[in-house]
Amino acid sequence: MASNAYIIANKRAVSSHPHRQPHLPLLLLLFSLFFIGKFDLVSALNYTKYTRKVSNLRLQRIQKHLEKINKPAVITIESPDGDIIDCVHKRKQPALDHPLLKKHKIQRVAPEMPKVKTLKRDEGSGDSKRKEGEDLIWQMWHRNGTRCPKGTVPIRRSTTRDVLRAKSLFHFGKKQSTTINPTRRADAPDVVSSNGHEHAIAYTGTSQEVYGAKATINVWDPSIQEVNEFSLSQIWILSGSFDGSDLNSIEAGWQVSPELYGDSRPRLFTYWTSDSYQATGCYNLLCAGFVQTNSRIAIGAAISPVSQYDANQYDITILIWKDPKLGNWWMGFGDNNLVGYWPAGLFTHLADHATMVEWGGEVVNSRANGKHTSTEMGSGHFAEDGFGKSSYFRNLELVDADNSLSSVHDISTLAENTNCYNIKNSYNNEWGTYFYYGGPGNNPQCP
C-alpha cells in the first residue's frame, strides 16, 4: 500500500461502512427533478424530506455551472458508494480557471518537505498503547482496484442533485463565516459563533509567525440530525483579522455533510478563503483555486473503514505547510503523499505566513424544534471517555520559519458549550501534544 496515512490501531477485523446508495443517471435525475422536484437523502437518518419546485431557467444555470466544474475525463470510475470519479488531465483541472492562475504553471519540482526534529519516544506512556498495523490508505472508490492514470487527477463529479441541496447556486460548495475568536473568554455570552456553529478546538497564540501545521486525526462517522448541519474535524491555517473581511484560511480534514455530499459518510476535504468566507474559496475542487497533483487521492471522496467504539481505531495524518522556495501552501496526506497546493497568489496575508493554527471539531446546530440537535462531534462521546471511545487529535506540530516541524507545547483550548461538546488536552512522549474532544449534542445537560 502507498503509505501509513491510515493506521490500524489494533488488528481485529473491522466491517465496511454499512450505507450504500445507488447512482442515478443524470438524465433520469433531471427528469425527476423537473417534473417532480423531490429528492431524499439517506433514509436511515432523521433527515427532513422536502419538495422543491425547480424552474427550467434554474436547471439551465445549474447545468452551465456543472459543465464548468466537471471537466472532461480521460477515464471515469464508479465508486461502490455511488460517487463518480473523473480522471481529468492535470492541466485541465478546475484550479486553472481562476483569474489569478490563467498563466500558472503547475509546480513540477517537489516542495521542500519540513525537517523533523528528533523526538524521544516512550512506548509505555499514557494513552500511547496502540499497535501500528499494516499500511493502509482507503477511499471508497479504490475498492474496485481501478486507479487514475499518470498525468491525471481524480475529481469527484458534481451533480444537479448536489447543487439543489445547497441554499442557492452561489452557496454551493461554500460555507459562511464560522471561525471563532479564541481571545474571547470561553464563558462570555457572545462566544457562541453565528449561524449555529459550535467548536471544540485547540489553538496557538496570534503573535507568532507560522509556516504550517500537522496532526493525526481520528476518523469516525458521527450522526447528523438535519440536512443542513455538518460535523467536521480539521486543521485551520489562519492569518488576517477575525472581526474583519480579510481573514485568510486554509483548512483540511474529514467531514460528514449531507447537504454537500448527499450521504452520511466521512470524507476527506479541503477549504480555503481569502476574504472571511464571503466570496472567495470553496470546499474541495468545487471552484478554481486548489491545484491537485496526486492521481490516487480524491478530495471529497469517502474514507473507509472508520473507527468503531471500543474496537479498531483509524486515523489520517494531514500536513499543511508553505514551500520555502516557491511560497505555495502544500497539503500532505499520510506518509509524505503530496495531494496538491494552494498557490500563494490566492491569498493576501497567507502570501507571507500564518499567525494562528487551530485543530479540532466543528458542528452546525440549527436548533431544530427549538432545542439543540443531536448532531455528533467526533465519535459522539465526550473527551473524558478516552481512547477507543472519544475522538482524538495527536502529535500536534508546527512548521517554523526554518521549515522545521516541532511538537506544539503552548496551546489553549476552547469549547463554547461543554455540556454539548468538550475538549481535554495532554502530552506524552509518543503522542506529543494531543487531545480528546467531541460529544453527542443534545442530552439532558444540553437541551
Side-chain angles (χ1 to χ4, degrees):
M1 288 294 177
S3 74
N4 67 351
Y6 236 0
I7 301 175
I8 304 178
N10 59 57
K11 296 183 179 179
R12 283 174 285 177
V14 175
S15 61
S16 61
H17 199 291
H19 301 302
R20 291 179 179 267
Q21 277 189 303
H23 172 66
L24 293 177
L26 182 58
L27 290 177
L28 177 60
L29 176 59
L30 287 170
F31 181 90
S32 63
L33 287 172
F34 181 70
F35 289 99
I36 303 174
K38 181 181 292 184
F39 55 94
D40 301 332
L41 293 176
V42 181
S43 58
L45 299 179
N46 184 25
Y47 295 147
T48 302
K49 297 181 180 180
Y50 57 98
T51 300
R52 176 183 292 176
K53 187 176 181 180
V54 184
S55 69
N56 188 47
L57 178 61
R58 189 177 185 210
L59 282 176
Q60 290 176 356
R61 289 173 176 168
I62 291 173
Q63 191 60 33
K64 185 177 180 180
H65 182 72
L66 291 175
E67 289 171 358
K68 182 179 180 180
I69 64 174
N70 289 329
K71 302 299 184 180
V74 175
I75 65 169
T76 293
I77 301 169
E78 185 167 355
S79 175
D81 61 356
D83 279 1
I84 297 297
I85 304 297
D86 290 324
C87 301
V88 176
H89 194 285
K90 62 183 180 181
R91 294 191 184 91
K92 302 293 184 182
Q93 62 180 295
L96 303 181
D97 291 338
H98 197 287
L100 296 175
L101 303 178
K102 288 296 185 181
K103 296 182 180 180
H104 181 79
K105 293 183 179 180
I106 296 175
Q107 183 174 336
R108 301 179 67 178
V109 178
E112 184 180 330
M113 298 294 294
K115 299 178 287 290
V116 180
K117 294 183 178 179
T118 304
L119 296 175
K120 292 182 179 180
R121 299 288 181 179
D122 179 0
E123 299 300 328
S125 59
D127 293 275
S128 62
K129 296 177 181 178
R130 58 193 301 279
K131 300 175 183 177
E132 292 193 359
E134 59 192 281
D135 289 350
L136 182 64
I137 179 169
W138 256 118
Q139 287 193 299
M140 197 80 78
W141 68 283
H142 290 166
R143 287 190 174 182
N144 64 9
T146 307
R147 297 292 187 271
C148 286
K150 186 178 180 180
T152 68
V153 293
I155 301 178
R156 180 182 184 270
R157 185 186 300 176
S158 297
T159 67
T160 302
R161 183 181 230 180
D162 292 332
V163 180
L164 285 174
R165 285 191 300 270
K167 186 186 299 184
S168 68
L169 183 57
F170 173 80
H171 290 93
F172 174 60
K174 294 183 172 66
K175 64 178 178 179
Q176 295 176 319
S177 181
T178 60
T179 305
I180 59 177
N181 183 351
T183 62
R184 290 180 288 181
R185 288 172 51 223
D187 58 351
D190 65 344
V191 76
V192 178
S193 302
S194 61
N195 307 314
H197 292 260
E198 299 183 22
H199 307 76
I201 62 168
Y203 60 93
T204 65
T206 58
S207 60
Q208 60 192 109
E209 292 186 3
V210 181
Y211 293 85
K214 185 178 183 179
T216 297
I217 311 172
N218 200 197
V219 181
W220 294 80
D221 56 349
S223 68
I224 313 297
Q225 180 176 317
E226 302 294 327
V227 173
N228 62 344
E229 297 181 336
F230 65 68
S231 181
L232 59 77
S233 297
Q234 68 171 56
I235 301 173
W236 289 260
I237 308 288
L238 301 161
S239 189
S241 174
F242 282 91
D243 55 2
S245 60
D246 65 344
L247 182 69
N248 289 197
S249 183
I250 290 173
E251 306 166 21
W254 63 263
Q255 70 177 162
V256 176
S257 176
E259 181 177 274
L260 188 59
Y261 304 107
D263 62 25
S264 60
R265 298 179 181 88
R267 294 169 176 271
L268 177 69
F269 84 96
T270 62
Y271 200 94
W272 71 273
T273 181
S274 61
D275 63 354
S276 298
Y277 307 90
Q278 294 181 94
T280 63
C282 61
Y283 282 110
N284 307 330
L285 306 181
L286 297 178
C287 68
F290 183 85
V291 179
Q292 181 153 345
T293 60
N294 192 294
S295 64
R296 294 176 58 85
I297 299 168
I299 302 173
I303 298 171
S304 176
V306 299
S307 300
Q308 303 291 323
Y309 184 83
D310 204 20
N312 283 10
Q313 300 299 296
Y314 295 88
D315 50 34
I316 58 174
T317 298
I318 290 178
L319 167 64
I320 302 170
W321 86 103
K322 189 176 180 64
D323 179 2
K325 292 183 178 179
L326 296 181
N328 298 320
W329 287 89
W330 277 83
M331 176 183 171
F333 182 72
D335 188 11
N336 299 328
N337 289 296
L338 300 175
V339 179
Y341 61 91
W342 294 267
L346 295 174
F347 303 102
T348 53
H349 298 286
L350 283 176
D352 189 9
H353 61 267
T355 56
M356 175 181 280
V357 173
E358 297 174 1
W359 300 262
E362 177 183 347
V363 300
V364 171
N365 165 36
S366 62
R367 294 201 64 82
N369 304 317
K371 61 182 180 179
H372 200 294
T373 57
S374 58
T375 288
E376 298 174 339
M377 180 189 292
S379 67
H381 292 266
F382 287 113
E384 51 268 27
D385 288 352
F387 184 79
K389 298 175 182 178
S390 61
S391 192
Y392 59 80
F393 275 63
R394 63 180 175 89
N395 300 107
L396 273 58
E397 296 178 283
L398 292 176
V399 181
D400 62 21
D402 293 327
N403 200 35
S404 296
L405 268 171
S406 58
S407 182
V408 180
H409 292 286
D410 185 17
I411 62 168
S412 302
T413 60
L414 176 64
E416 288 98 337
N417 190 341
T418 55
N419 290 325
C420 307
Y421 314 103
N422 68 353
I423 178 170
K424 295 184 182 300
N425 66 298
S426 189
Y427 180 90
N428 66 43
N429 286 336
E430 185 183 1
W431 277 23
T433 296
Y434 68 94
F435 61 83
Y436 290 104
Y437 71 103
N442 179 264
N443 67 78
Q445 284 72 46
C446 176

